[in-house]
Amino acid sequence: MHPSKLRAFWAARQGLLECDTHLSPETVLEKTGWARSVGGVGPYLTLFTRAGLTRPAIDRAVAQLEIHELPSARGCTHVVPRSDFALALRCSQGFGDAAEVQAAKKHLGVTDAELDRLGRAVLDALAGGALDPAALKDRLGDLVRNLGPEGKKRGVTTTLPLVLGTLQTAGEIRRQPIGGRLDQQRYAYARWADSPLPEFTLDAAAAYVELARRFFRWSGPASLAHFQAFSGLGVKASKAAVAPLGLLPVSADSPILALPADLDALRAFVPPETPVYRLVASVDALLLLRRDLALLLDPADVPRVQQIGGLQDLPSHAIVDRGRLVGLWEYDPGREDIAWTSFVRPDAALRAEVERTAAMIREHLGDARSFSLDSPESRKPRIAALRGG
């Protein structure tokens, strides 16, 4: 099968061939996958490129808990549709927060009893409403213990983050963005009015089967290694999760596997003949569901991407055409426009898509950080390189 057909099928599965403005934020995330959130523009671009949604509609969906940022696969935060809140939380358990708690108990003298007391106090403190970390810490007083220089060295200065992480993955509390914006990392903590987990009956093994089912529906054909990287599972657990799906190779001896229905759809699929450009975030699902950029590049473009950052993650946002990575971009807040470069000859359609995206950022966001610490100042060298200077 020609790589261009497979890439275009991935783009179609990701909703990147046709912008459907009738879709709600929740429906987009159900259809194309959870949007990775690291305090950057990723969730907004995910919903803009696929459904033309801009910040007011997205922030409203967050406020109404139609979508929400939650710890999820491998403990990473994603913006998740309401229908998957419980699954995301179940799949987050045992990763980041659990490892940090175990390390604190082993190296910093933290005890289960101490964490239990603090956890109960956090829930009591939040009974009256949401609190930001500083206000919560003041309310808890001496129950929050400073872990000293050794804790600072290990990235855990007090016992409070350990408890907040555990309570989140347990579905007891949730983080809500201060100001309602997803492209920053300032949060208050609140108790769930109606936690999604108590009614969720799947154990961990069954939850991972459901995660695998969603992964292959969102991504289209992918390898076991791709699912393993997304889920954080080992080889044995990954094989167990995908076993009930009846996956089939897209061609003889190929590591790329597909759901049976997708295999039929792939064979019948006809890619668009003309370019379909989209400016996506560096953490867009098209990229992160595989983290294997070589599959999205034409062979001639592989060396130039290797030179700027390797073939796993991009240093800048991406321009794609029918699933192929054809360029890079950054937003320049000083000039209020997009700096970009392409691996193909720019045409009117590409320039129009660049300006469409720039206009949305100018009007609704003001900037397009890759992650929370991606400041305009730190971005200047990348912008200069993209402008050829």
Side-chain angles (χ1 to χ4, degrees), residues 331-383:
Y331 187 73
D332 184 345
R335 289 172 48 167
E336 295 189 327
D337 68 1
I338 284 175
W340 59 285
T341 188
S342 65
F343 311 152
V344 297
R345 184 184 298 275
D347 59 15
L350 176 51
R351 292 188 177 93
E353 185 62 18
V354 170
E355 180 49 38
R356 186 177 83 95
T357 306
M360 185 278 290
I361 296 169
R362 279 195 300 269
E363 181 177 352
H364 295 285
L365 299 173
D367 199 2
R369 291 187 295 271
S370 294
F371 53 93
S372 62
L373 299 180
D374 178 25
S375 68
E377 186 65 28
S378 68
R379 205 180 309 144
K380 284 182 177 179
R382 303 202 300 275
I383 291 173

Side-chain angles (χ1 to χ4, degrees), residues 213-273:
R213 197 184 314 279
R214 282 164 174 74
F215 174 86
F216 281 94
R217 190 178 73 224
W218 300 332
S219 71
S223 71
L224 183 66
H226 295 152
F227 172 67
Q228 186 181 343
F230 173 76
S231 66
L233 298 176
V235 174
K236 182 178 180 181
S238 295
K239 288 181 176 179
V242 305
L245 306 185
L247 299 173
L248 299 171
V250 298
S251 59
D253 301 321
S254 173
I256 304 297
L257 308 171
L259 296 166
D262 283 351
L263 194 56
D264 293 338
L266 175 60
R267 288 168 177 159
F269 178 71
V270 178
E273 294 183 359

Side-chain angles (χ1 to χ4, degrees), residues 4-229:
S4 63
K5 179 173 180 174
L6 186 56
R7 290 194 300 247
F9 187 79
W10 286 333
R13 185 50 53 91
Q14 274 296 301
L16 291 171
L17 295 186
E18 183 177 357
C19 185
D20 188 346
T21 57
H22 297 97
L23 298 180
S24 69
E26 184 175 4
T27 302
V28 173
L29 298 181
E30 288 174 338
K31 289 169 63 71
T32 66
W34 306 341
R36 184 75 168 92
S37 56
V38 285
V41 75
Y44 289 114
L45 281 176
T46 290
L47 296 165
F48 174 71
T49 54
R50 290 156 174 84
L53 290 158
T54 53
R55 193 185 125 212
I58 297 166
D59 289 354
R60 186 162 54 249
V62 173
Q64 295 172 353
L65 282 179
E66 295 167 1
I67 62 175
H68 200 53
E69 184 187 61
L70 295 173
S72 53
R74 71 182 304 140
C76 297
T77 54
H78 289 80
V79 178
V80 176
R82 177 165 42 197
S83 56
D84 285 344
F85 285 175
L87 179 65
L89 289 171
R90 179 73 83 229
C91 291
S92 76
Q93 294 172 356
F95 285 96
D97 60 297
E100 290 178 358
V101 169
Q102 290 305 314
K105 288 162 65 175
K106 181 177 180 180
H107 300 289
L108 302 174
V110 174
T111 66
D112 285 329
E114 175 183 18
L115 296 178
D116 288 344
R117 285 195 300 272
L118 181 55
R120 291 193 297 272
V122 167
L123 294 176
D124 289 342
L126 296 179
L131 296 171
D132 65 29
L136 184 56
K137 187 177 178 181
D138 287 345
R139 187 77 60 88
L140 297 168
D142 292 341
L143 287 172
V144 177
R145 181 160 67 91
N146 190 298
L147 297 174
E150 184 64 20
K152 185 176 181 179
K153 185 170 71 174
R154 294 180 177 278
V156 186
T157 56
T158 76
T159 52
L160 183 56
L162 301 174
V163 166
L164 294 177
T166 300
L167 291 174
Q168 284 183 83
T169 58
E172 297 281 356
I173 66 172
R174 59 185 179 87
R175 292 191 319 193
Q176 56 187 40
I178 293 175
R181 292 189 63 152
L182 294 168
D183 56 347
Q184 48 87 36
Q185 288 191 316
R186 296 172 54 248
Y187 302 102
Y189 291 87
R191 294 182 66 166
W192 284 93
D194 186 13
S195 175
L197 271 182
E199 302 300 320
F200 191 71
T201 59
L202 299 183
D203 62 15
Y208 279 113
V209 172
E210 290 307 308
L211 183 66
R213 197 184 314 279
R214 282 164 174 74
F215 174 86
F216 281 94
R217 190 178 73 224
W218 300 332
S219 71
S223 71
L224 183 66
H226 295 152
F227 172 67
Q228 186 181 343

